[in-house]
Amino acid sequence: MEEPRKDILDFLKKQGFLNEKTRLQDNDSLSETGVIDSITLLQLIDFLEEKYKVQIPVEMITPENFDTLAGISQSVIKLKNG
Amino acid sequence: MAKTSDTCRKCVLDSATPGISINEDTGLCQFCEHFTSLSQEKIKEYGTRMDSLLKSPPENGKYDVIFALSGGVDSSYMLHRIKREYPHLKILAVQFDNGFISDTALENAQKFCALTKSTYMRLSLDQEALQVTFSKAANSFNAYPGAAKYRASDICNTCISIIKQKIIELAIQTKAPFIIFAFSPGQTDAPFVTLSKPILVWMRKLFDQNLKAMGVTDREPYLIDAHLIQPGSYEHEVVIIHPFLIWNYDKTQFKKECIQQGWIDPNLKDQNSSNCLLNAFAIKNHLDKYHIHSYAYDLASLVRQGYMKREDALKKLTIQISDASNEEIKRKLKL
């Protein structure tokens, strides 16, 4: 799970103005901690689809799957492993 | 002695802005350092997808497209071009009346709807409540998350989010398959956004949280009607399209073509808006609160992508609001 997690954090640092000092826990809510809004979320989905060559089905994009580092990483791994 | 700020040598971002750092060795900001331009192949692929969507829209309802029309240069140009390239489209053009639209913008919007045979709709909400909401946005601090503060001011984020929510609501109600926004390549980097119910529920929740953080109590009028996105509600798919990510973005050319079609320049003395009287105040309010110019990120991105000259973008970052205008807006917003 380390690889998507690191890529997501790098993306958020680059695009989402996530402060270098911010320590996000795997199950912290990205929306409630103010790290992402709807536009950043859509950018992140584009980034992950491109990076991991996967198609993220719209039904999968829910707060349960896409509001935490753990949830997003697991979703990407699940798609990658088919 | 305090260190003076540095400006990125490629775009216009400045190290005085919180969150922006300039690499001392390269002279570039973190965005320019990691920037790779979109390949021509990718742009062509997006163009093919837009053609396939807009050339034969599914016959769902009365309209094919719900179009967000401000009456400014970008959206007026886009409406005209979309109708030129896809003349068969049935378009409902929606102009949101935020209480601060210039008379010229109202006239321009109606003129371009008549010109393109699009249906014009002026979307109005309770003006008194809206002014209180903008006033709360002006007084708020950190109601929007990090990245959003760089994209737009708190006032503009509130206004744009209301427009998005209401336009999506209209698309669902009228069964329109497409929504078109005239966002510049600096304002968005996703040419297509497919809206599923879970995304809409989430978008609604996020904006509701922003409004709540500002202290807005009556939030329902600004949000998508919750009944419309319940499980078992609408079934058709809605896709948002941002054509300026596919076409070449040349604002000077757009303005020239719009004027040829009868568009009137309102001369608002605001470098960044040709339709909204509140915009310059909103920029100043944001700069005072966060030391962030709400157009810097957008303009920097346009420069980075080669759509605007650096010197033109720097000019646009100067604040253009007179004391009289500032006071007038403050009086209207009861600040």
Side-chain angles (χ1 to χ4, degrees), chain B residues 193-212:
Chain B
V193 179
T194 304
L195 300 172
S196 65
K197 257 184 242 179
I199 290 181
L200 292 178
V201 171
W202 200 358
M203 280 173 75
R204 187 184 194 279
K205 186 185 160 199
L206 287 172
F207 186 43
D208 189 40
Q209 283 172 355
N210 302 142
L211 289 169
K212 201 174 173 185

Side-chain angles (χ1 to χ4, degrees), chain B residues 287-320:
Chain B
L287 199 57
D288 290 345
K289 285 194 292 192
Y290 306 114
H291 308 290
I292 296 170
H293 191 302
S294 50
Y295 276 80
Y297 186 65
D298 170 12
L299 292 168
S301 180
L302 290 177
V303 173
R304 202 175 296 127
Q305 294 177 72
Y307 292 120
M308 188 182 279
K309 287 183 188 159
R310 187 172 182 268
E311 57 269 31
D312 291 342
L314 285 167
K315 268 185 227 160
K316 283 178 176 278
L317 289 175
T318 54
I319 304 293
Q320 299 274 336

Side-chain angles (χ1 to χ4, degrees), chain A residues 14-17 31-32 34-43 46 50 58-59 61-63 66-67, chain B residues 19-20 31 34 42 145-148 150-151 164 189-190 193-194 196 198-199 202-203 205-206 209 297:
Chain A
K14 278 186 217 161
Q15 297 290 329
F17 296 89
S31 58
E32 281 171 22
V35 175
I36 58 163
D37 62 350
S38 57
I39 296 175
T40 316
L41 171 71
L42 297 168
Q43 288 172 332
D46 266 4
E50 190 79 13
V58 285
E59 303 76 31
I61 307 164
T62 61
F66 271 80
D67 196 27
Chain B
I20 305 298
F31 299 100
H34 299 109
K42 200 78 190 165
Y150 290 83
R151 283 195 216 99
K164 276 189 191 162
D189 52 17
V193 179
T194 304
S196 65
I199 290 181
W202 200 358
M203 280 173 75
K205 186 185 160 199
L206 287 172
Q209 283 172 355
Y297 186 65

Side-chain angles (χ1 to χ4, degrees), chain A residues 58-59, chain B residues 49 53 58 60 175-178 194-196 234-239:
Chain A
V58 285
E59 303 76 31
Chain B
R49 183 171 172 199
L53 292 174
N60 284 341
K175 297 182 179 166
F178 305 118
T194 304
L195 300 172
S196 65
Y234 81 102
E235 293 304 330
H236 77 280
E237 192 176 70
V238 181
V239 180

Side-chain angles (χ1 to χ4, degrees), chain A residues 2-16 39-56 61 66 69 72-73 76 80, chain B residues 34 36 42 46 189-192:
Chain A
E2 195 48 37
E3 197 185 344
R5 186 186 183 281
K6 185 181 175 303
D7 285 335
I8 295 160
L9 277 173
D10 284 348
F11 172 86
L12 292 173
K13 276 177 196 159
K14 278 186 217 161
Q15 297 290 329
I39 296 175
T40 316
L41 171 71
L42 297 168
Q43 288 172 332
L44 175 62
I45 290 162
D46 266 4
F47 164 77
L48 293 169
E49 288 188 332
E50 190 79 13
K51 175 94 189 172
Y52 290 94
K53 308 285 178 229
V54 291
Q55 184 77 40
I56 300 173
I61 307 164
F66 271 80
L69 286 173
I72 304 171
S73 297
V76 171
K80 192 76 192 159
Chain B
H34 299 109
T36 45
K42 200 78 190 165
Y46 290 153
D189 52 17
F192 307 99

Side-chain angles (χ1 to χ4, degrees), chain B residues 21-161:
Chain B
S21 58
I22 310 293
N23 184 317
E24 283 183 14
D25 298 325
T26 61
L28 297 174
C29 69
Q30 69 261 45
F31 299 100
C32 286
E33 290 231 301
H34 299 109
F35 174 71
T36 45
S37 61
L38 207 57
S39 68
Q40 283 306 312
E41 196 185 20
K42 200 78 190 165
I43 294 173
K44 203 175 160 191
E45 184 190 315
Y46 290 153
T48 306
R49 183 171 172 199
M50 183 163 79
D51 271 353
S52 76
L53 292 174
L54 294 181
K55 277 187 177 163
S56 47
E59 293 285 333
N60 284 341
K62 199 175 170 187
Y63 303 106
D64 302 313
V65 173
I66 307 294
F67 188 98
L69 180 67
S70 71
V73 172
D74 285 6
S75 63
S76 300
Y77 170 84
M78 184 176 283
L79 179 62
H80 191 252
R81 182 153 169 197
I82 281 282
K83 214 39 209 250
R84 193 174 70 211
E85 299 206 5
Y86 308 100
H88 56 280
L89 288 178
K90 293 170 282 176
I91 299 178
L92 173 66
V94 182
Q95 185 175 39
F96 178 52
D97 183 0
N98 68 359
F100 293 89
I101 306 173
S102 71
D103 291 342
T104 317
L106 290 170
E107 192 186 331
N108 282 331
Q110 290 172 47
K111 192 183 280 180
F112 271 64
C113 281
L115 189 70
T116 58
K117 296 187 173 57
S118 303
T119 305
Y120 173 79
M121 176 183 173
R122 186 168 169 176
L123 176 66
S124 292
L125 299 175
D126 180 331
Q127 291 294 314
E128 206 173 310
L130 204 52
Q131 284 186 13
V132 172
T133 301
F134 290 143
S135 173
K136 287 186 171 172
N139 281 328
S140 70
F141 197 78
N142 287 340
Y144 289 92
K149 284 208 281 285
Y150 290 83
R151 283 195 216 99
S153 67
D154 288 343
I155 293 173
C156 291
N157 264 325
T158 305
C159 192
I160 295 164
S161 299

